[in-house]
PDB file of all heavy atoms in Angstrom:
ATOM      1  N   LEU A  50      69.611 -47.803   2.605  1.00 96.00           N
ATOM      2  CA  LEU A  50      70.980 -48.325   2.672  1.00 96.00           C
ATOM      3  C   LEU A  50      71.965 -47.318   3.238  1.00 96.00           C
ATOM      4  O   LEU A  50      72.804 -47.659   4.045  1.00 96.00           O
ATOM      5  CB  LEU A  50      71.422 -48.736   1.239  1.00 96.00           C
ATOM      6  CG  LEU A  50      71.070 -50.112   0.736  1.00 96.00           C
ATOM      7  CD1 LEU A  50      71.543 -50.258  -0.711  1.00 96.00           C
ATOM      8  CD2 LEU A  50      71.660 -51.200   1.609  1.00 96.00           C
ATOM      9  N   ALA A  51      71.799 -46.050   2.834  1.00 94.00           N
ATOM     10  CA  ALA A  51      72.693 -45.014   3.338  1.00 94.00           C
ATOM     11  C   ALA A  51      72.501 -44.833   4.831  1.00 94.00           C
ATOM     12  O   ALA A  51      73.490 -44.648   5.588  1.00 94.00           O
ATOM     13  CB  ALA A  51      72.423 -43.697   2.581  1.00 94.00           C
ATOM     14  N   SER A  52      71.252 -44.848   5.301  1.00 94.00           N
ATOM     15  CA  SER A  52      70.994 -44.709   6.731  1.00 94.00           C
ATOM     16  C   SER A  52      71.607 -45.847   7.498  1.00 94.00           C
ATOM     17  O   SER A  52      72.235 -45.675   8.548  1.00 94.00           O
ATOM     18  CB  SER A  52      69.454 -44.656   6.992  1.00 94.00           C
ATOM     19  OG  SER A  52      68.871 -43.484   6.472  1.00 94.00           O
ATOM     20  N   MET A  53      71.438 -47.083   6.994  1.00 96.00           N
ATOM     21  CA  MET A  53      71.974 -48.263   7.682  1.00 96.00           C
ATOM     22  C   MET A  53      73.494 -48.192   7.701  1.00 96.00           C
ATOM     23  O   MET A  53      74.129 -48.533   8.718  1.00 96.00           O
ATOM     24  CB  MET A  53      71.493 -49.514   7.016  1.00 96.00           C
ATOM     25  CG  MET A  53      71.801 -50.792   7.814  1.00 96.00           C
ATOM     26  SD  MET A  53      71.208 -52.333   7.019  1.00 96.00           S
ATOM     27  CE  MET A  53      69.450 -52.128   7.226  1.00 96.00           C
ATOM     28  N   ALA A  54      74.104 -47.780   6.611  1.00 95.00           N
ATOM     29  CA  ALA A  54      75.568 -47.688   6.570  1.00 95.00           C
ATOM     30  C   ALA A  54      76.060 -46.629   7.549  1.00 95.00           C
ATOM     31  O   ALA A  54      77.137 -46.761   8.140  1.00 95.00           O
ATOM     32  CB  ALA A  54      76.054 -47.333   5.163  1.00 95.00           C
ATOM     33  N   ARG A  55      75.280 -45.612   7.749  1.00 95.00           N
ATOM     34  CA  ARG A  55      75.666 -44.493   8.650  1.00 95.00           C
ATOM     35  C   ARG A  55      75.653 -44.941  10.120  1.00 95.00           C
ATOM     36  O   ARG A  55      76.538 -44.595  10.875  1.00 95.00           O
ATOM     37  CB  ARG A  55      74.731 -43.328   8.426  1.00 95.00           C
ATOM     38  CG  ARG A  55      75.085 -42.064   9.187  1.00 95.00           C
ATOM     39  CD  ARG A  55      74.049 -40.971   8.887  1.00 95.00           C
ATOM     40  NE  ARG A  55      74.396 -39.746   9.569  1.00 95.00           N
ATOM     41  CZ  ARG A  55      73.571 -38.701   9.638  1.00 95.00           C
ATOM     42  NH1 ARG A  55      72.363 -38.787   9.058  1.00 95.00           N
ATOM     43  NH2 ARG A  55      73.913 -37.588  10.296  1.00 95.00           N
ATOM     44  N   VAL A  56      74.614 -45.708  10.475  1.00 96.00           N
ATOM     45  CA  VAL A  56      74.470 -46.032  11.916  1.00 96.00           C
ATOM     46  C   VAL A  56      74.919 -47.445  12.277  1.00 96.00           C
ATOM     47  O   VAL A  56      75.067 -47.742  13.461  1.00 96.00           O
ATOM     48  CB  VAL A  56      72.988 -45.825  12.357  1.00 96.00           C
ATOM     49  CG1 VAL A  56      72.547 -44.400  12.109  1.00 96.00           C
ATOM     50  CG2 VAL A  56      72.052 -46.777  11.631  1.00 96.00           C
ATOM     51  N   MET A  57      75.078 -48.313  11.274  1.00 96.00           N
ATOM     52  CA  MET A  57      75.566 -49.676  11.543  1.00 96.00           C
ATOM     53  C   MET A  57      76.726 -49.986  10.575  1.00 96.00           C
ATOM     54  O   MET A  57      76.655 -50.893   9.757  1.00 96.00           O
ATOM     55  CB  MET A  57      74.440 -50.688  11.382  1.00 96.00           C
ATOM     56  CG  MET A  57      73.318 -50.513  12.388  1.00 96.00           C
ATOM     57  SD  MET A  57      72.066 -51.854  12.317  1.00 96.00           S
ATOM     58  CE  MET A  57      73.016 -53.233  13.044  1.00 96.00           C
ATOM     59  N   PRO A  58      77.830 -49.212  10.674  1.00 96.00           N
ATOM     60  CA  PRO A  58      78.940 -49.418   9.742  1.00 96.00           C
ATOM     61  C   PRO A  58      79.630 -50.758   9.908  1.00 96.00           C
ATOM     62  O   PRO A  58      80.400 -51.165   9.019  1.00 96.00           O
ATOM     63  CB  PRO A  58      79.890 -48.234  10.101  1.00 96.00           C
ATOM     64  CG  PRO A  58      79.580 -47.942  11.547  1.00 96.00           C
ATOM     65  CD  PRO A  58      78.086 -48.142  11.657  1.00 96.00           C
ATOM     66  N   GLU A  59      79.358 -51.425  11.029  1.00 96.00           N
ATOM     67  CA  GLU A  59      79.966 -52.732  11.232  1.00 96.00           C
ATOM     68  C   GLU A  59      79.415 -53.798  10.261  1.00 96.00           C
ATOM     69  O   GLU A  59      80.047 -54.853  10.090  1.00 96.00           O
ATOM     70  CB  GLU A  59      79.761 -53.209  12.682  1.00 96.00           C
ATOM     71  CG  GLU A  59      78.328 -53.551  13.062  1.00 96.00           C
ATOM     72  CD  GLU A  59      77.482 -52.338  13.459  1.00 96.00           C
ATOM     73  OE1 GLU A  59      77.963 -51.182  13.272  1.00 96.00           O
ATOM     74  OE2 GLU A  59      76.385 -52.564  13.975  1.00 96.00           O
ATOM     75  N   LEU A  60      78.275 -53.545   9.671  1.00 96.00           N
ATOM     76  CA  LEU A  60      77.701 -54.495   8.713  1.00 96.00           C
ATOM     77  C   LEU A  60      78.340 -54.312   7.343  1.00 96.00           C
ATOM     78  O   LEU A  60      78.596 -53.176   6.912  1.00 96.00           O
ATOM     79  CB  LEU A  60      76.183 -54.295   8.587  1.00 96.00           C
ATOM     80  CG  LEU A  60      75.347 -54.562   9.853  1.00 96.00           C
ATOM     81  CD1 LEU A  60      73.874 -54.342   9.526  1.00 96.00           C
ATOM     82  CD2 LEU A  60      75.557 -55.973  10.381  1.00 96.00           C
ATOM     83  N   SER A  61      78.545 -55.419   6.630  1.00 96.00           N
ATOM     84  CA  SER A  61      79.051 -55.338   5.264  1.00 96.00           C
ATOM     85  C   SER A  61      77.932 -54.877   4.350  1.00 96.00           C
ATOM     86  O   SER A  61      76.754 -54.878   4.727  1.00 96.00           O
ATOM     87  CB  SER A  61      79.567 -56.722   4.828  1.00 96.00           C
ATOM     88  OG  SER A  61      78.508 -57.610   4.704  1.00 96.00           O
ATOM     89  N   GLU A  62      78.274 -54.505   3.138  1.00 95.00           N
ATOM     90  CA  GLU A  62      77.261 -54.106   2.164  1.00 95.00           C
ATOM     91  C   GLU A  62      76.292 -55.252   1.879  1.00 95.00           C
ATOM     92  O   GLU A  62      75.082 -55.031   1.779  1.00 95.00           O
ATOM     93  CB  GLU A  62      77.941 -53.658   0.860  1.00 95.00           C
ATOM     94  CG  GLU A  62      76.953 -53.138  -0.167  1.00 95.00           C
ATOM     95  CD  GLU A  62      77.630 -52.637  -1.453  1.00 95.00           C
ATOM     96  OE1 GLU A  62      78.872 -52.509  -1.435  1.00 95.00           O
ATOM     97  OE2 GLU A  62      76.926 -52.401  -2.437  1.00 95.00           O
ATOM     98  N   ALA A  63      76.817 -56.449   1.822  1.00 96.00           N
ATOM     99  CA  ALA A  63      75.949 -57.620   1.596  1.00 96.00           C
ATOM    100  C   ALA A  63      74.988 -57.836   2.734  1.00 96.00           C
ATOM    101  O   ALA A  63      73.818 -58.184   2.525  1.00 96.00           O
ATOM    102  CB  ALA A  63      76.822 -58.882   1.357  1.00 96.00           C
ATOM    103  N   GLU A  64      75.462 -57.641   3.937  1.00 97.00           N
ATOM    104  CA  GLU A  64      74.598 -57.803   5.147  1.00 97.00           C
ATOM    105  C   GLU A  64      73.513 -56.733   5.165  1.00 97.00           C
ATOM    106  O   GLU A  64      72.364 -57.024   5.548  1.00 97.00           O
ATOM    107  CB  GLU A  64      75.431 -57.746   6.416  1.00 97.00           C
ATOM    108  CG  GLU A  64      76.292 -58.968   6.624  1.00 97.00           C
ATOM    109  CD  GLU A  64      77.275 -58.842   7.784  1.00 97.00           C
ATOM    110  OE1 GLU A  64      77.744 -57.717   8.027  1.00 97.00           O
ATOM    111  OE2 GLU A  64      77.557 -59.841   8.447  1.00 97.00           O
ATOM    112  N   ARG A  65      73.861 -55.530   4.766  1.00 96.00           N
ATOM    113  CA  ARG A  65      72.846 -54.453   4.750  1.00 96.00           C
ATOM    114  C   ARG A  65      71.788 -54.750   3.673  1.00 96.00           C
ATOM    115  O   ARG A  65      70.607 -54.571   3.883  1.00 96.00           O
ATOM    116  CB  ARG A  65      73.501 -53.104   4.507  1.00 96.00           C
ATOM    117  CG  ARG A  65      74.339 -52.632   5.699  1.00 96.00           C
ATOM    118  CD  ARG A  65      74.726 -51.175   5.570  1.00 96.00           C
ATOM    119  NE  ARG A  65      75.725 -50.953   4.530  1.00 96.00           N
ATOM    120  CZ  ARG A  65      77.038 -50.977   4.738  1.00 96.00           C
ATOM    121  NH1 ARG A  65      77.496 -51.226   5.937  1.00 96.00           N
ATOM    122  NH2 ARG A  65      77.891 -50.712   3.751  1.00 96.00           N
TER     123      ARG A  65
END
Side-chain angles (χ1 to χ4, degrees):
L50 274 176
S52 292
M53 190 180 290
R55 185 181 182 192
V56 301
M57 297 187 72
E59 69 276 10
L60 296 181
S61 67
E62 183 177 350
E64 287 172 327
R65 291 192 289 269

